[in-house]
Amino acid sequence: MRVYADNAATTYLSKTARDKLIECLDNFNGNPNSLHTDGQRTQEVLDEARAIVAGCINAKNPNEIYFTSGGSEADNQALISAARGLRNKGKKHLVTLNIEHHAILHTMAKLEKEGFEVTYLKPQPNGIVDIEDVKNAIREDTALVSIMFANNEMGAIQPIPEIGAICKEKHVLFHTDAVQAAAHLPIDVQAMNIDMLSMSGHKFHGPKGVGILYARNGIRLTNVIEGGAQERGKRAGTVNVPGIASMAVALKEGCDNMEQNMSKVRALRDRLIEGLKDIPYSQLNGDPVKRLPGNVNWSFEGVEGESLLLHLDLYGIECSSGSACTSESLDPSHVLTGMGIPVEAAHGSLRFSLDYENTEEQIDYIIEKVHSVVELYRSMSPYWEDLQNGIREHCIPEHM
Ligand SMILES: *Cc1c(COP(=O)(O)O)cnc(C)c1O
């Protein structure tokens, strides 16, 4: 059996998105910035995509939607715009979480080198930030709060409407990296007081290499790519119309089917959680309820996540240990350690990210194989032996 359970790393193109991509590649090859007929036909496709995206997140106006090369670029542009735009007003402080995606954390580090001060809030043990901490972190000179909608590794959903309300009250810009949330959780940028929001096509069954930055009217974006005047002068480069049109229909498809997809995926997630619970000295990471419908992140003491992952792959089960972006380094996940999970437990963690294409049969197969693989690696692990002999102390309780 083959089971794809790594949808937080990337999803497969849906049939609707694929059909749209092919249709545009075949029929809309003009440059939307050209004034002739072919250019203008292509421009219409782009306008339509912008309107669809705006509708999915309840943006007031389609001109608040900017297309980028992905979630990373949208994150970079949001932070750089807020920081550089407000610096000459004396604002030089930024607030974020220590469990954000590296597209946020590395951009923050870059801004620190430019003289900005960054507060990295630590979430509670369930992976969710305390809104009091957000409130207390905001200062007179705070330019921006950037807090992710939902975490890509352990799925915790942050209190976005509450944070939006605080930022509005304190007149601080609020950006959220909604790459994992878009098409999976309801998003309303107006009701949630979100000023800027990032999304990525390939995380909701659209193509890779296209993303979206929503920026409320009135926010002055700074270019991260210089050149032509595409995207209202804020993102240079000939626009990838087929990719964008395909991403827009994928987003709409996900939003239109959100209720039914969510309840199906949640049931699969909870079946997997139930099935792994009896493995001793193992635990679910992240809030059990306020988590992405498809996310299961589990730590097993005494084993290496990478070994488990590779062995599960032999059985056809594709999952991840930590996020795909960090899986080439053997450092423990900054997300798990950032929320206070001991390094020993973080090393033995696996992430399953499920989707509506998964089945109950697949979940039961994952449960069976995880049990046997954990047992196998523990039986070969000197570390596990030390735990058994009491030479080392357990950091996860025997039972959840
Ligand atoms: C995948 C991901 C990104 C990066 O998006 P790309 O389109 O791959 O650049 C950013 N943030 C989060 C939370 C993600 O999961």
Side-chain angles (χ1 to χ4, degrees):
M1 194 188 297
R2 182 181 171 235
V3 184
Y4 184 69
D6 201 11
N7 289 280
T10 199
T11 57
Y12 295 138
L13 207 58
S14 75
K15 180 165 190 317
T16 319
R18 181 184 177 280
D19 289 350
K20 191 72 182 178
L21 187 63
I22 304 287
E23 183 202 333
C24 291
L25 287 170
D26 286 345
N27 301 311
F28 295 95
N29 265 311
N31 183 329
N33 291 92
S34 301
L35 297 176
H36 50 61
T37 308
D38 199 26
Q40 291 315 294
R41 285 173 64 242
T42 314
Q43 177 68 46
E44 278 169 29
V45 175
L46 188 60
D47 291 344
E48 192 186 315
R50 213 181 295 280
I52 291 173
V53 171
C56 291
I57 59 169
N58 194 30
K60 229 182 212 159
N61 195 318
N63 70 11
E64 296 172 315
I65 303 300
Y66 298 84
F67 294 116
T68 67
S69 68
S72 299
E73 187 188 325
D75 282 345
N76 275 251
Q77 191 169 16
L79 304 191
I80 289 169
S81 297
R84 294 194 186 148
L86 289 167
R87 173 163 42 196
N88 52 13
K89 293 197 173 128
K91 307 231 175 197
K92 54 169 183 44
H93 177 235
L94 308 160
V95 178
T96 192
L97 296 184
N98 65 354
I99 58 163
E100 295 279 329
H101 190 273
H102 283 127
I104 297 290
L105 293 178
H106 290 172
T107 308
M108 288 291 187
K110 182 156 109 176
L111 290 166
E112 279 181 302
K113 288 203 186 102
E114 291 180 17
F116 290 92
E117 202 182 315
V118 182
T119 298
Y120 297 93
L121 296 175
K122 184 182 174 186
Q124 303 166 95
N126 64 355
I128 298 175
V129 70
D130 184 339
I131 56 164
E132 288 305 314
D133 289 347
V134 178
K135 214 180 270 179
N136 295 333
I138 296 175
R139 318 190 306 212
E140 277 295 307
D141 64 345
T142 304
L144 171 85
V145 171
S146 180
I147 289 183
M148 67 200 322
F149 210 111
N151 187 271
N152 46 305
E153 288 189 37
M154 51 70 198
I157 299 170
Q158 301 300 333
I160 296 301
E162 289 83 354
I163 297 168
I166 293 169
C167 291
K168 188 182 181 196
E169 188 197 315
K170 301 208 178 229
H171 304 289
V172 172
L173 288 180
F174 176 36
H175 166 258
T176 185
D177 174 341
V179 172
Q180 290 293 331
H184 301 286
L185 298 171
I187 298 177
D188 182 328
V189 289
Q190 294 187 66
M192 295 172 171
N193 289 305
I194 295 166
D195 296 309
M196 291 188 281
L197 177 140
S198 310
M199 296 184 268
S200 172
H202 75 102
K203 301 290 175 75
F204 49 73
H205 299 278
K208 293 174 206 0
V210 266
I212 300 157
L213 174 60
Y214 157 81
R216 181 176 52 70
N217 270 337
I219 290 171
R220 194 176 287 240
L221 292 183
T222 301
N223 293 43
V224 290
I225 310 270
E226 298 289 353
Q230 291 89 355
E231 298 296 292
R232 303 174 74 217
K234 298 306 175 194
R235 204 286 180 177
T238 304
V239 183
N240 173 6
V241 175
I244 289 166
S246 170
M247 167 171 67
V249 297
L251 180 63
K252 178 150 172 35
E253 189 178 34
C255 292
D256 287 348
N257 300 317
M258 193 183 292
E259 274 307 317
Q260 92 195 45
N261 288 347
M262 268 203 302
S263 59
K264 179 179 179 196
V265 179
R266 242 188 230 126
L268 294 173
R269 175 196 73 187
D270 293 341
R271 188 183 183 93
L272 180 53
I273 291 174
E274 221 31 63
L276 296 180
K277 263 184 174 165
D278 63 342
I279 298 179
Y281 302 106
S282 82
Q283 70 180 17
L284 176 70
N285 298 317
D287 194 278
V289 181
K290 289 178 192 150
R291 71 186 299 129
L292 284 168
N295 177 289
V296 177
N297 186 307
W298 214 280
S299 285
F300 307 90
E301 244 192 307
V303 288
E304 288 289 340
E306 280 72 17
S307 316
L308 301 180
L309 178 154
L310 292 174
H311 210 103
L312 289 171
D313 190 41
L314 298 177
Y315 290 122
I317 298 170
E318 287 158 336
C319 64
S320 136
S321 59
S323 79
C325 327
T326 52
S327 60
E328 278 175 30
S329 67
L330 283 178
D331 290 339
S333 150
H334 75 282
V335 171
L336 298 183
T337 53
M339 58 193 271
I341 290 170
V343 173
E344 297 78 10
H347 266 302
S349 61
L350 287 179
R351 175 189 70 187
F352 300 93
S353 40
L354 309 170
D355 186 62
Y356 54 79
E357 281 165 354
N358 292 118
T359 62
E360 288 189 352
E361 196 192 359
Q362 291 182 337
I363 300 300
D364 295 344
Y365 181 69
I366 297 176
I367 294 168
E368 179 200 324
K369 293 304 176 198
V370 170
H371 274 84
S372 68
V373 169
V374 169
E375 202 165 308
L376 172 71
Y377 279 87
R378 279 182 173 169
S379 73
M380 303 186 297
S381 156
Y383 191 96
W384 179 249
E385 201 177 310
D386 286 353
L387 289 169
Q388 294 302 92
N389 296 336
I391 295 171
R392 286 173 195 270
E393 278 191 37
H394 285 283
C395 60
I396 299 178
E398 184 172 1
H399 301 293
M400 265 180 82

